[in-house]
Amino acid sequence: MAKRDYYEVLGVERGASEAELKKAYRRLAMKHHPDRNPGDKAAEDAFKEANEAYEVLSDASKRQAYDQYGHAGVDPQMGAGAGAAYGGANFSDIFGDVFSDFFAGGRGSSRGGAQRGSDLRYTLELDLEEAVRGTTVTIRVPTLVECKTCDGSGAKKGTSPVTCTTCGGIGQVRMQQGFFSVQQTCPRCHGSGKMISDPCGSCHGQGRVEEQKTLSVKVPPGVDTGDRIRLTGEGEAGAQGGPAGDLYVVVNVREHPIFQRDGKHLYCEVPISFADAALGGELEVPTLDGRVKLKIPEGTQTGKQFRLRGKGVAPVRGGAAGDLLCRVAVETPVNLGKRQRELLDEFRKTLQSDSSHSPKASGWFEGMKRFFGDL
Ligand SMILES: [Zn+2]
Ligand SMILES: [Zn+2]
């Protein structure tokens, strides 16, 4: 299809001033803009045609080439010598200039290219001791950083991105789906409005490369599973000069062989001998600061909990430290020798005549009697 004369497209005289060109283009662009003519192919074509005409005529050197050679002077596909003047037009600049006052903020980040990088999440496994006391760890995070070869542009050194031909630099395309016309991010330029004809070899046109980043993370004392530490700007690099995202280090505290944690309190189970439980005594129990002595009164039953104040965790958000709760479990002796059996057998006989030695059992037998009596 033969191209129409650019002046004719814009409806201006050959000698039109810059202001007249701009005014004419504004009028046409507003009229045929895809946002106002959803699904209208003719409007879309008119819009693209006006864009192309304005792109050439608004540039003094291109306009000169066009005036002299016609379309051959500015269309690189025609291969004319003067085509060199065409270069890589920065279409989005023109577009931004003309449209910023009409669509201020309305198009979000989909146009203009610069996009904030994604936030990243890193799961940090910590031992309970590290979580309670705080620590500094070195982590390695795979992330996208700005390509140094092309400074993030994605274009080969000495070249620059050109206007996307699929969306005409808008970054959005209209798709017909049944009765509906939906606006979508341009699949070719992914919304940037530009495409790279000569991609940078290092990043294959992405402008960003994957890299293992080594970071030092300071973990404050008292953190717990699910707590997040935010490292501002350590996420993925932004696209085309956009700001970097953040890195969220999410804490996961490993299970501890002795202690269970519930918020600021710690729990542990301490086995005690049947004799210690009966006679009372002093036990050594573990805490995160080392062993401490715990007095057990005589007649201690299994399951009894002893509270060691302040031996829990000082919460990361402040406040008093929690407690350590030691639950004793009376252990039945095993692998008894002959003498031990004799002693226990003798001991058993002493119990049989007096139920007052077995507070639980006597209560239990009472209950059982009532239960069978009711039947
Ligand atoms: Zn690159
Ligand atoms: Zn596009």
Side-chain angles (χ1 to χ4, degrees):
M1 191 184 84
K3 274 189 182 172
R4 281 211 293 157
D5 176 62
Y6 285 151
Y7 292 100
E8 193 190 312
V9 168
L10 293 180
V12 293
E13 298 293 322
R14 287 198 89 75
S17 70
E18 251 180 65
E20 284 169 327
L21 282 169
K22 192 164 177 169
K23 198 175 154 203
Y25 171 61
R26 264 179 193 245
R27 193 178 48 76
L28 288 168
M30 286 295 286
K31 186 177 164 195
H32 299 302
H33 195 277
D35 278 358
R36 301 190 146 199
N37 304 276
D40 186 341
K41 184 79 175 71
E44 196 188 313
D45 289 342
F47 182 64
K48 280 184 187 159
E49 195 180 30
N51 280 341
E52 195 190 311
Y54 183 67
E55 198 177 343
V56 169
L57 296 185
S58 61
D59 183 308
S61 61
K62 277 184 240 167
R63 186 177 179 181
Q64 199 189 352
Y66 178 74
D67 287 344
Q68 207 169 344
Y69 302 106
H71 287 296
V74 290
D75 192 334
Q77 266 121 58
M78 301 231 175
Y86 187 80
N90 192 348
F91 182 73
S92 86
D93 286 350
I94 303 165
F95 205 73
D97 178 25
V98 174
F99 279 94
S100 55
D101 19 358
F102 300 117
F103 298 106
R107 306 187 66 94
S109 61
S110 60
R111 196 177 49 87
Q115 282 170 26
R116 186 177 175 274
S118 299
D119 290 336
L120 294 178
R121 179 197 160 100
Y122 181 92
T123 303
L124 178 64
E125 299 271 348
L126 291 176
D127 288 334
L128 179 63
E129 290 91 332
E130 295 174 309
V132 170
R133 298 204 181 100
T135 182
T136 301
V137 288
T138 302
I139 60 171
R140 285 170 65 76
V141 195
T143 185
L144 290 173
V145 297
E146 194 182 88
C147 173
K148 286 181 183 68
T149 313
C150 61
D151 290 326
S153 77
K156 199 172 183 172
K157 244 193 162 59
T159 71
S160 49
V162 294
T163 302
C164 173
T165 50
T166 301
C167 61
I170 308 163
Q172 302 269 313
V173 287
R174 291 217 159 257
M175 307 276 279
Q176 197 73 33
Q177 285 184 355
F179 295 111
F180 303 101
S181 161
V182 290
Q183 191 159 3
Q184 291 187 334
T185 301
C186 173
R188 184 162 197 180
C189 63
H190 306 291
S192 69
K194 293 180 188 174
M195 57 180 204
I196 290 147
S197 50
D198 216 354
C200 161
S202 305
C203 61
H204 309 288
Q206 297 303 303
R208 300 180 290 182
V209 286
E210 197 176 307
E211 200 175 80
Q212 290 279 336
K213 196 152 63 166
T214 304
L215 292 169
S216 177
V217 184
K218 204 170 161 355
V219 180
V223 292
D224 205 348
T225 295
D227 282 340
R228 305 195 304 177
I229 300 160
R230 189 170 103 173
L231 303 181
T232 308
E234 298 291 1
E236 268 182 23
Q240 283 151 37
D246 299 333
L247 173 67
Y248 288 93
V249 176
V250 184
V251 172
N252 186 41
V253 182
R254 290 192 197 99
E255 240 176 67
H256 192 274
I258 296 173
F259 300 108
Q260 289 90 51
R261 179 176 177 182
D262 183 13
K264 60 179 184 171
H265 297 310
L266 291 177
Y267 296 82
C268 73
E269 195 175 79
V270 185
I272 60 171
S273 77
F274 154 73
D276 280 343
L279 302 173
E282 213 174 40
L283 284 185
E284 261 197 348
V285 296
T287 73
L288 285 175
D289 308 319
R291 295 159 191 269
V292 297
K293 294 234 185 317
L294 177 66
K295 264 199 155 47
I296 301 286
E298 65 170 74
T300 293
Q301 299 295 335
T302 197
K304 168 91 179 152
Q305 224 164 218
F306 295 92
R307 184 181 292 265
L308 283 84
R309 292 204 183 276
K311 294 289 184 191
V313 183
V316 68
R317 288 163 196 89
D323 305 329
L324 169 62
L325 291 122
C326 294
R327 182 182 179 276
V328 297
V330 176
E331 204 164 34
T332 304
V334 296
N335 297 325
L336 298 177
K338 185 164 175 285
R339 172 79 181 127
Q340 290 167 319
R341 282 178 181 278
E342 284 168 6
L343 283 172
L344 268 183
D345 196 41
E346 208 172 304
F347 177 65
R348 176 161 63 184
K349 282 176 186 136
T350 69
L351 294 178
Q352 274 160 3
S353 55
D354 189 349
S355 67
S356 73
H357 301 303
S358 310
K360 264 191 193 159
S362 54
W364 187 79
F365 282 120
E366 281 303 309
M368 199 162 74
K369 253 188 257 172
R370 272 203 304 279
F371 175 67
F372 285 115
D374 289 349
L375 278 179

